Amino acid sequence: MIRSCLFAAAASAALAQPAYAAPSDPLSIQESFRIGNAGVRCTAQLRPLDAKLQGMFDRGYAIVCRDAAAPVGNLYALKGGDQARLAEADRHCEVPKAAEVPGLAGVSAQDCEGADKLNYRTYSVERDGTLYASQGLTGYDSALKLGLASIVTDRPVDGEVQVAVTAAGDPAAFARVQAGALDPEGALTEAYARNNSGSYAEAAEFFQTLYERAAGSGDASRAAEYLVNQGLQQSNLGNMPAADAAFAEAEQRGAADDPIAGRLLRNYRAIHQMNQRKPADALEELDRKVAAVDRYAQEAISGAEITPQLAQEINRTNAALNRTGGLDTRLTPYERAQILDAQAEQLRGVALRMQRRYPEALQLLERADRDFASVRQGRVISTAFMRADAMAEAGLVREMTGNPGAAEAALKNAIALLATNYPQSAALLQAKSRLAAFYARQNRADEAIKLYQEVVAESERVPGAAAAVRQALAPYFALLASRSASDPSAAGAMFAANQVFVRPGVAQTQAVLARELSQGDDEAAMLFREAVNQSREVVRQSGDVAELAAGNPAEGSEAAAQLAAAREKLATLEREQTALQSRLGKYPRYRVLSPQTLTLADLQKILRPGEAYYQLRLVGEDIYAVFATPDRAQAVKLDLTADQLGDTVAKLRDTIVTVDNGQLVTLPFDVVRARQLYRTMFDPLGTDALKGVTHLIVEPDGPLLQLPPTLLVTDQAGVDAYEARIAKPGADKFDMRGVAWLGRDREVTTAVSARSFTDVRQIAPSTGKRAYLGLGENAPPVTAASFLSTSAPARGDCDWPLETWSHPISAAELRFARTAIGGTESAVLTGRDFSDTAIEGLPDLRDYRVLHFATHGLVTAPRPQCPARPALLTSFGGPTSDGLLSFKEVFDLKLDADYVVLSACDTAGMATVKETREAGIATGGNYALDGLVRAFVGAGARGVIASHWPVPDDYDATKRLITGLFSAAPGTAAGEALREAQVKLMDDPNTSHPYYWAAFAIVGDAERPLLQK
């Protein structure tokens, strides 16, 4: 993916003028720094407006830690050594006592209890007339100690931060917390720093936060700058419509008329076009006129007295307008324009390179480098990323023109420059990937693989790296696949690289659930759940603030008052959530971080005899697979492109169920195509790949997320017999008996990541006291006519018509399941008892080990212009009822279930990003399984049995499937119970078509019993 920092000048080793080495700079002149080098990620964020700072030589920082929604403490360097300045009026403190902080002598500690009943600690030490202190929540003690040691020594101090962790860890969500902890100027600096280092998702969060803060400020140039940068980040992340919208709004706000913002808009739109592989359009964007800048315009200081406020302004130098892609402070507007214009020349060079106009491209890249170097003699720190990426661009041109030696030198120089100025960054990993790709093109496979392995290993430790390096790994996968037959390590290497591509959705939710349930159901687990729920409230409220801010309310208006109230509520929620995290810190098990990645050997250890794991991965247009059993593994490239897979899946689904004139229609199943897809996926593994495999765990990707693998065809003989039979006059094309379906002889689990599968497998069974709760057969609207006609909210254009509730699904399968299990351990709720408000109010949902919903699932939009909002249809309840159990409402349920069975329409579908955020979930969305499946996992379900299409009532097919599922003896694996029920339908001529038996997929671990013994 092309990004802004890929375009800087530079053509040769003559780029020798060094940029300042940022990492060697003392911490005292940095905007932020990491606390420690291991464990939970915490950072110190410069906070110049802290009330404890009184002079221009004082410094203050906020301590921000992953999963905490607000700063957990502060660091101070106070000239004069006055301990009284650390006092907090609302805290009752003990007498200070000596404390041990590694590497420091003479440290004292003081414990306090605040009016909020929370425990606080202050560490302090005096050096050369300066009082150094760390002050914050006691639960973050390790961060307080390491932070103090760092500011005293003025350098990063190594050490492990051990504090409470609740979520699976999302860099973008953490970035939003960091952005909120900083003043706007510091946040802008950090935003550009993340863009420069290649962490686009984090940069997007910073710019979004800045834009929300700027709402109503009246500063159009700042708002425009934030929007332009938002557009760039979205383009770099591949969200092209969002990028277009941000650029358009920025122009509407006057960006084009501002000399700096206008140049940003010009350059970033050009980058956006090149991200879409449209170099000609990029060149058109670069021809846009921009406003001139007065060469002699300077920011001047007037007046004799430098007050603390003026000192802060000097230090910041109006940073929001004083950084061009993260440039150094104290640049004049003319210098900023010079750099942006040099970048424009560089962009022209890249566009021409994409058009294979190599001599012209190289000329422009060299000219841009001279222009960069002319600003402050090339010693502007943050242009290092531009110059490094320009080296890579020039190197690519030289490679294309037959000079591989010069190309390699340029690529290595780029890495060296980034390693000095942006160590442990996504940009550095991208540069290493470009050199590895060069080695691959030059047939230096061993060197390429070694460097790619380094990139993959480091990507887990570099926030935001996964999104940045995915596209760059394509040559690595091709190399590994080509070596798999002769190199036993290739499968493990591809398996490791595959995990860079895991999207944070249901996989992350499963990881959080596993962490919650890993140590039982004691007080600590309850506190963990409370902290997770409070984190969701913070995300929801952040969404409300963003929505109100987007309206740009006028000062003094009612909307502005609502925005202020929403921000105040958000601040309160953030403090409460952080307090919960601090309390959780006293439980050591929640201070232990499990790695996000898993080795292939670790996976093989957890696989049982007769099990195999099939991991599919789309890498650009190519598709790869890793296949593993307990004692062997393979990595292969499939003879299929991503587009071809999408077309195959779409055509298969169309023969299962499609919409024709508003009616669901089933066609004769395309058994030939299903056979071909099976062969494409499994033949490269050998003809006996599935021999002896009784449980297949499939980790799908891309279009295959929408298709249950059970309907693939494993043998040609059945296909031939079927085709011969239907060729006869009057043959029943829907009679598909005799076809060798993949799901006939083996259980199948759908996994969303290797880590989440192993986590789910190791979760203890439900501790619920009762076996089963069935819910369904909604009351038609007529039974609630008085409610609907009086106090119901007015129905909008995007509400489902009331007729939707007029065809309830029979509760027969629910009643059968209750009878099969036993009346004393089970219950069924139907009619008015089955309303959304009634379900949300049930006090004993955690008592049930299995929940079973037999109702309609609403996963599409009621009209084309409306958003899809996945929900289960229920009866109407109280005055606030809408007759739907929404994604958000499901996530809010409190379950302790082995399984949730969704006998409803297409419940394996997705939820949108917007719907996900409204539920308080900061990551994921827009992918299959991220909808109701994820919501029930988040509510507490170890496994979900969901459907891939509207389940049929014909021939009692669904009833028979569910009946068979619950008829199995207690202790039977759910996958085996489902398989046996499916086989009976396969062998019935009326229900042998996959439409009747293949819809359901088990997400979790199919070996987990549906009913406990």
Side-chain angles (χ1 to χ4, degrees):
M1 177 62 65
I2 295 173
R3 61 191 178 93
S4 80
C5 51
L6 289 182
F7 314 115
S12 65
L15 287 177
Q17 291 192 18
Y20 289 127
S24 65
D25 287 341
L27 299 184
S28 53
I29 66 169
Q30 296 184 29
E31 298 278 354
S32 69
F33 58 88
R34 181 172 179 177
I35 297 175
N37 68 330
V40 176
R41 191 174 185 88
C42 294
T43 64
Q45 311 281 140
L46 192 64
R47 204 167 191 173
L49 303 182
D50 191 299
K52 289 186 173 66
L53 308 184
Q54 297 179 1
M56 64 182 298
F57 297 106
D58 290 344
R59 286 182 288 122
Y61 302 83
I63 300 175
V64 178
C65 290
R66 203 191 83 182
D67 290 357
V72 301
N74 297 282
L75 301 175
Y76 295 108
L78 306 177
K79 199 70 173 177
D82 185 2
Q83 285 276 355
R85 291 167 61 185
L86 298 175
E88 297 284 350
D90 61 346
R91 295 178 189 172
H92 176 72
C93 299
E94 299 177 1
V95 175
K97 56 188 177 184
E100 292 186 7
V101 173
L104 296 181
V107 178
S108 67
Q110 185 175 37
D111 288 323
C112 303
E113 182 180 280
D116 51 12
K117 301 302 181 184
L118 295 175
N119 295 321
Y120 296 87
R121 180 167 295 159
T122 299
Y123 290 103
S124 61
V125 64
E126 190 171 341
R127 293 285 190 276
D128 299 325
T130 297
L131 177 65
Y132 297 94
S134 60
Q135 190 173 54
L137 291 161
T138 305
Y140 290 85
D141 186 71
S142 58
L144 297 178
K145 287 183 176 180
L146 286 168
L148 178 67
S150 296
I151 62 167
V152 171
T153 59
D154 210 13
R155 61 175 178 79
V157 173
D158 291 346
E160 183 176 8
V161 177
Q162 290 192 340
V163 299
V165 178
T166 48
D170 175 57
F174 178 45
R176 176 166 280 270
V177 179
Q178 290 176 295
L182 288 168
D183 65 282
E185 314 299 1
L188 186 62
T189 298
E190 291 297 311
Y192 278 126
R194 278 157 176 75
N195 171 70
N196 297 356
S197 65
S199 297
Y200 311 129
E202 293 184 65
E205 293 293 340
F206 268 88
F207 284 116
Q208 177 64 33
T209 301
L210 284 162
Y211 178 66
E212 292 167 10
R213 287 181 177 183
S217 68
D219 191 337
S221 62
R222 286 197 172 197
E225 182 181 1
Y226 305 151
L227 283 166
V228 170
N229 277 281
Q230 266 288 76
L232 176 65
Q233 307 315 316
Q234 294 303 325
S235 179
N236 289 337
L237 291 167
N239 303 327
M240 302 309 174
D244 286 329
F247 289 140
E249 186 177 352
E251 186 162 19
Q252 185 179 8
R253 288 178 173 268
D257 300 326
D258 181 85
I260 304 303
R263 282 170 167 79
L264 287 170
L265 183 61
R266 174 197 63 190
N267 291 4
Y268 290 179
R269 272 181 160 159
I271 295 169
H272 179 51
Q273 295 299 335
M274 283 188 278
N275 281 341
Q276 300 172 82
R277 300 296 178 219
K278 299 176 180 178
D281 292 342
L283 290 171
E284 284 188 21
E285 293 289 350
L286 292 168
D287 286 336
R288 285 176 179 255
K289 298 293 184 182
V290 292
V293 181
D294 181 358
R295 178 168 187 168
Y296 301 101
Q298 304 283 339
E299 288 90 3
I301 301 173
S302 60
E305 182 182 1
I306 300 179
T307 65
Q309 291 77 14
L310 182 55
Q312 291 159 10
E313 182 62 19
I314 294 171
N315 290 333
R316 297 294 191 190
T317 60
N318 198 8
L321 294 178
N322 207 27
R323 286 168 173 76
T324 302
L327 302 178
D328 291 21
T329 60
R330 295 173 293 281
L331 291 172
T332 68
Y334 182 75
E335 289 170 327
R336 295 194 292 273
Q338 275 186 298
I339 293 172
L340 281 173
D341 289 340
Q343 185 188 41
E345 291 299 297
Q346 187 183 11
L347 295 175
R348 288 182 189 276
V350 177
L352 292 173
R353 190 269 298 165
M354 294 174 72
Q355 294 181 331
R356 301 184 180 181
R357 296 159 63 180
Y358 299 128
E360 297 170 81
L362 193 57
Q363 183 181 25
L364 282 168
L365 290 171
E366 290 174 339
R367 183 193 304 170
D369 178 55
R370 291 193 297 271
D371 290 344
F372 280 124
S374 69
V375 182
R376 304 281 177 99
Q377 292 77 50
R379 295 175 65 83
V380 178
I381 296 173
S382 299
T383 55
F385 81 95
M386 291 184 176
R387 303 185 74 184
D389 283 324
M391 292 176 187
E393 279 291 330
L396 185 57
V397 171
R398 284 187 164 80
E399 181 188 1
M400 295 298 101
T401 53
N403 192 346
E408 182 177 2
L411 290 166
K412 286 183 174 179
N413 285 341
I415 291 172
L417 192 55
L418 287 169
T420 299
N421 291 276
Y422 293 97
Q424 295 185 318
S425 69
L428 176 57
L429 296 185
Q430 284 181 312
K432 290 181 177 180
S433 296
R434 295 183 82 168
L435 178 59
F438 168 80
Y439 288 149
R441 292 191 297 272
Q442 297 294 314
N443 297 316
R444 297 161 63 179
D446 290 340
E447 294 169 272
I449 288 175
K450 181 179 179 181
L451 192 52
Y452 274 126
Q453 287 176 337
E454 181 181 320
V455 170
V456 169
E458 290 179 4
S459 65
E460 182 182 357
R461 299 188 294 271
V462 176
V469 303
R470 283 173 186 157
Q471 295 298 324
L473 292 179
Y476 182 42
F477 279 80
L479 283 172
L480 293 175
S482 68
R483 289 189 162 203
S484 179
S486 59
D487 184 356
S489 68
M494 186 179 290
F495 183 81
N498 275 339
Q499 293 175 77
V500 175
F501 288 74
V502 172
R503 297 180 178 90
V506 64
Q508 185 184 51
T509 303
Q510 285 181 325
V512 174
L513 177 65
R515 192 159 172 76
E516 174 186 339
L517 299 177
S518 62
Q519 300 288 336
D521 197 26
D522 57 7
E523 178 184 353
M526 293 175 64
L527 185 60
F528 179 94
R529 282 193 293 274
E530 189 178 354
V532 170
N533 290 335
Q534 189 72 1
S535 297
R536 290 180 56 213
E537 290 299 324
V538 169
V539 174
R540 289 174 182 167
Q541 188 63 25
S542 295
D544 291 344
V545 169
E547 189 172 344
L548 289 168
N552 195 27
E555 186 175 354
S557 66
E558 181 179 350
Q562 291 176 340
L563 177 58
R567 284 173 169 161
E568 184 176 348
K569 181 179 179 181
L570 176 60
T572 300
L573 289 172
E574 289 172 339
R575 289 193 297 269
E576 292 172 349
Q577 187 271 351
T578 304
L580 285 170
Q581 292 285 132
S582 180
R583 289 171 55 198
L584 193 63
K586 70 179 182 180
Y587 298 98
R589 71 181 191 244
Y590 291 117
R591 298 200 301 263
V592 178
L593 277 171
S594 61
Q596 299 299 299
T597 58
L598 189 77
T599 67
L600 183 58
D602 289 337
L603 174 70
Q604 290 178 293
K605 289 176 185 176
I606 205 167
L607 293 177
R608 299 164 184 165
E611 291 188 327
Y613 195 97
Y614 186 95
Q615 184 184 61
L616 192 82
R617 192 66 73 232
L618 272 64
V619 183
E621 270 298 301
D622 297 325
I623 305 178
Y624 298 87
V626 172
F627 181 79
T629 67
D631 54 8
R632 66 187 178 92
Q634 290 175 263
V636 296
K637 181 180 180 182
L638 304 188
D639 186 18
L640 192 72
T641 67
D643 284 343
Q644 289 169 340
L645 177 61
D647 181 66
T648 296
V649 170
K651 288 178 176 176
L652 283 173
R653 283 185 62 101
D654 282 346
T655 64
I656 297 169
V657 60
T658 188
V659 178
D660 186 8
N661 291 325
Q663 299 295 318
L664 294 179
V665 177
T666 299
L667 303 174
F669 183 66
D670 193 342
V671 66
V672 174
R673 199 179 299 273
R675 169 65 179 154
Q676 182 58 49
L677 181 56
Y678 173 85
R679 294 197 60 188
T680 301
M681 291 175 61
F682 289 93
D683 278 8
L685 303 170
T687 55
D688 295 331
L690 292 185
K691 185 178 181 179
V693 174
T694 57
H695 179 203
L696 179 65
I697 303 104
V698 178
E699 182 185 330
D701 193 16
L704 209 63
L705 285 161
Q706 305 171 45
L707 193 76
T710 50
L711 54 65
L712 300 179
V713 180
T714 63
D715 181 72
Q716 187 63 35
V719 176
D720 294 340
Y722 170 77
E723 289 197 299
R725 187 172 68 249
I726 65 172
K728 299 176 182 178
D732 181 3
K733 295 183 178 181
F734 287 84
D735 182 356
M736 311 199 77
R737 288 175 296 171
V739 174
W741 308 108
L742 183 147
R744 184 178 185 88
D745 300 321
R746 56 193 58 83
E747 305 168 40
V748 177
T749 289
T750 297
V752 292
S753 78
R755 165 60 66 187
S756 63
F757 171 73
T758 59
D759 285 344
V760 168
R761 169 153 283 188
Q762 296 175 86
I763 298 175
S766 165
T767 59
K769 305 177 183 64
R770 306 184 71 183
Y772 174 86
L773 176 63
L775 306 104
E777 198 170 67
N778 66 280
V782 65
T783 65
S786 60
F787 162 69
L788 289 171
S789 62
T790 57
S791 52
R795 303 188 66 74
D797 291 339
C798 287
D799 287 321
W800 288 90
L802 291 178
E803 291 78 13
T804 308
W805 282 260
S806 298
H807 306 285
I809 293 175
S810 168
E813 66 187 66
L814 304 177
R815 296 190 178 98
F816 175 86
R818 179 180 60 184
T819 302
I821 294 167
T824 59
E825 288 194 336
S826 59
V828 171
L829 297 179
T830 61
R832 297 185 193 183
D833 293 333
F834 172 54
S835 70
D836 52 341
T837 50
I839 294 168
E840 292 175 87
L842 287 174
D844 58 350
L845 280 177
R846 289 182 62 83
D847 289 346
Y848 294 96
R849 299 191 293 272
V850 176
L851 280 80
H852 176 193
F853 289 84
T855 186
H856 296 289
L858 305 178
V859 295
T860 59
R863 293 174 183 80
Q865 69 272 23
C866 300
R869 304 177 71 87
L872 293 176
L873 185 145
T874 69
S875 303
F876 285 93
T880 61
S881 171
D882 60 0
L884 297 173
L885 198 62
S886 70
F887 178 91
K888 172 185 175 298
E889 290 164 343
V890 169
F891 226 115
D892 285 337
L893 299 177
K894 303 295 185 290
L895 309 180
D896 180 19
D898 285 321
Y899 281 99
V900 170
V901 181
L902 301 177
S903 180
C905 161
D906 200 13
T907 46
M910 70 178 188
T912 64
V913 171
K914 185 175 188 297
E915 181 88 0
T916 304
R917 302 301 184 270
E918 287 176 355
I921 314 302
T923 58
N926 277 354
Y927 293 97
L929 305 181
D930 265 6
L932 291 170
V933 169
R934 184 183 188 186
F936 276 107
V937 171
R942 293 156 177 79
V944 179
I945 303 177
S947 61
H948 277 283
W949 52 77
V951 294
D953 291 329
D954 301 348
Y955 308 111
D956 286 333
T958 300
K959 178 182 174 182
R960 290 159 61 189
L961 269 180
I962 299 300
T963 297
L965 191 63
F966 285 101
S967 296
T972 303
E976 178 60 19
L978 180 61
R979 187 194 67 81
E980 291 180 356
Q982 288 174 325
V983 167
K984 292 178 180 177
L985 270 67
M986 293 176 194
D987 292 340
D988 183 335
N990 293 317
T991 57
S992 56
H993 189 291
Y995 170 61
Y996 295 100
W997 58 263
F1000 289 100
I1002 298 176
V1003 182
D1005 179 7
E1007 277 293 287
R1008 184 179 294 275
L1010 182 71
L1011 302 174
Q1012 297 179 14
K1013 288 185 178 179

